[in-house]
Amino acid sequence: MRRTVRPVVPAAASAANDLLDVHVRRHVVDARLAVPLAGGGVTVLFGPSGAGKTTILRCIAGLDRTEGGHITMAGTNWDDGAGSSVPARHRRVGYLFQDHALFPHLGVEANVAFGLHRVGASERNERVRAALAAVGAAECTGRTVDELSGGEAQRVALARALVTEPRLLLLDEPLSALDAPTRARLRTDLRRMLELSGIPALIVTHDRSEALVLADRVVVLIDGTVRQVGSPEEVFDRPADPDVARIVGIETATPGVVSHVDDDLIQVDVGTRQLTALTLEQPVEPHNVGDQVLVCVRAQDVAIELPGAAGGGRSPRNQLPAEITSITTDGALVRVELDAGFALTAYITRPALAELELDVGSRVVASVKSPAVHLITRRRAE
């Protein structure tokens, strides 16, 4: 049995070979990010429209050029920003466009096989079959493009991106063209397909639910720059600054002033009330009395109880007497706006709304666990 002997690679070179190192400078975009390659994994570029997400994807794919930046794939220069660039066809990148971009004059198998050049008929047919099976679209064989549903077309487009066995997958808003029920159903399927493929993927989305389901890492882009990188939990529960808090959908983000610090317990004056925050992780710069902060609380972390029914629980809680100022339906949940000495938002279920007999003007107690209160420093005490 023949053994393959791998050359010894210095640690620095080995680290470079495990990264897609990107610095895209183009128009208003000036963004730097590093995408791990080892073991696959999904990195989501998250941000509003116009943030530069698609521009970054197109530069990585070789469809556009970076101007003065660089793109290095596993230690190999793809674009040095000064004229030297690897053509898109030689980068071995699978690209899934937002609108699927299937060829209407070709059948399903021909669409999937389109990128397979210099491959014999037998191998081509086998790879097409395997790619369609991998994305759950085996039943689409023999059809024309106009016979496919939106979800089926998306699966066929993904099969076309996978069939060439790319080194990297780029997906631009892969589910945005689908109706809401199909989109919700395909999120989990797409995550499973990407895991099984073992190919590192970079996905563009502005949809919070997609990012939470799909991502191993989230890169937040605002106005062409990277503002935060971390796990979905880190980014969506502990945004790095007020702009990120707004982009990731923190429902309550209100100014406060630190009034007391006791190890990991921090008291903050907010409006006419005082909140206690519990820092479970040591911050880079600990908070001090007098710091001006942005107090962030997710609506899903606010419980509404009737006066006298509030329980203590194991975790330190903030119990805030409040008055309901607005009740609106928000999908499967009900959004409740509260005056708790400051504006506070909560989500509850419709059965809970009916059981508690809540209405505008109802007096309630808003309960927030201290670890759910996230503080962003706006200005340090002098």
Side-chain angles (χ1 to χ4, degrees):
M1 179 176 180
R2 185 177 181 181
R3 297 180 58 191
T4 301
V5 179
R6 297 182 180 275
V8 176
V9 180
S14 179
N17 288 338
D18 288 338
L19 286 176
L20 170 66
D21 182 20
V22 177
H23 181 194
V24 169
R25 297 180 63 186
R26 185 176 175 85
H27 306 313
V28 299
V29 177
D30 190 353
R32 302 198 65 158
L33 62 142
V35 180
L37 300 175
V42 177
T43 298
V44 164
L45 297 183
F46 182 84
S49 298
K53 305 183 299 296
T54 296
T55 295
I56 292 173
L57 235 60
R58 289 181 60 85
C59 287
I60 293 172
L63 303 177
D64 290 329
R65 299 286 302 277
T66 182
E67 301 164 354
H70 67 265
I71 299 173
T72 305
M73 173 66 168
T76 300
N77 173 56
W78 275 4
D79 189 340
D80 67 0
S84 176
S85 176
V86 174
R89 65 184 180 278
H90 294 152
R91 296 191 184 190
R92 284 186 56 201
V93 168
Y95 200 121
L96 182 58
F97 294 90
Q98 183 174 344
D99 60 356
H100 316 320
L102 294 176
F103 300 109
H105 63 289
L106 299 178
V108 166
E109 293 95 320
N111 262 283
V112 175
F114 186 79
L116 292 176
H117 306 293
R118 301 184 181 88
V119 176
S122 177
E123 181 182 351
R124 182 172 61 249
N125 293 337
E126 175 58 26
R127 286 172 64 171
V128 167
R129 184 201 62 77
L132 286 168
V135 300
E139 71 280 2
C140 294
T141 55
R143 299 192 203 172
T144 60
V145 168
D146 60 5
E147 294 176 317
L148 302 176
S149 67
E152 289 171 336
Q154 192 70 353
R155 290 175 184 271
V156 171
L158 181 58
R160 184 176 62 183
L162 289 171
V163 76
T164 58
E165 299 176 353
R167 303 171 66 189
L168 179 69
L169 277 172
L170 305 176
L171 294 83
D172 190 358
E173 300 278 6
L175 306 178
S176 64
L178 306 176
D179 59 80
T182 303
R183 188 164 63 244
R185 185 171 65 253
L186 280 185
R187 285 179 196 137
T188 304
D189 289 349
L190 179 58
R191 171 67 197 187
R192 178 185 57 81
M193 295 173 207
L194 294 174
E195 286 179 344
L196 291 175
S197 76
I199 301 169
L202 198 60
I203 299 179
V204 160
T205 186
H206 64 271
D207 185 285
R208 179 173 175 268
S209 297
E210 283 180 23
L212 287 169
V213 171
L214 297 174
D216 295 302
R217 298 167 70 251
V218 176
V219 177
V220 180
L221 279 161
I222 301 175
D223 296 331
T225 62
V226 174
R227 300 290 284 273
Q228 186 171 356
V229 179
S231 69
E233 294 77 15
E234 290 169 341
V235 170
F236 287 96
D237 292 341
R238 297 184 291 281
D241 60 51
D243 289 335
V244 175
R246 174 175 54 85
I247 293 301
V248 302
I250 296 288
E251 291 82 6
T252 297
T254 189
V257 179
V258 174
S259 58
H260 182 74
V261 178
D262 182 11
D263 294 329
D264 54 358
L265 284 174
I266 303 170
Q267 290 183 336
V268 185
D269 293 333
V270 187
T272 62
R273 298 289 169 78
Q274 190 174 75
L275 287 179
T276 299
L278 175 62
T279 57
L280 300 178
E281 298 179 1
Q282 185 66 30
V284 176
E285 295 185 41
H287 296 286
N288 297 304
V289 173
D291 285 353
Q292 296 181 28
V293 296
L294 193 71
V295 180
C296 299
V297 181
R298 299 207 70 88
Q300 65 194 37
D301 293 325
V302 180
I304 295 179
E305 300 159 323
L306 296 177
R314 294 184 178 181
S315 299
R317 285 178 180 265
N318 296 282
Q319 305 284 356
L320 305 169
E323 180 179 334
I324 295 177
T325 59
S326 173
I327 298 175
T328 55
T329 300
D330 192 349
L333 297 174
V334 176
R335 182 182 177 113
V336 181
E337 303 292 346
L338 303 159
D339 179 358
F342 59 94
L344 182 66
T345 302
Y347 279 129
I348 63 174
T349 63
R350 295 183 188 184
L353 180 72
E355 180 181 346
L356 297 173
E357 299 181 342
L358 300 179
D359 204 343
V360 173
S362 295
R363 304 293 302 182
V364 296
V365 174
S367 180
V368 184
K369 291 183 179 181
S370 297
V373 179
H374 174 62
L375 306 180
I376 299 173
T377 301
R378 303 176 75 191
R379 182 179 297 174
R380 292 286 177 184
E382 297 181 357

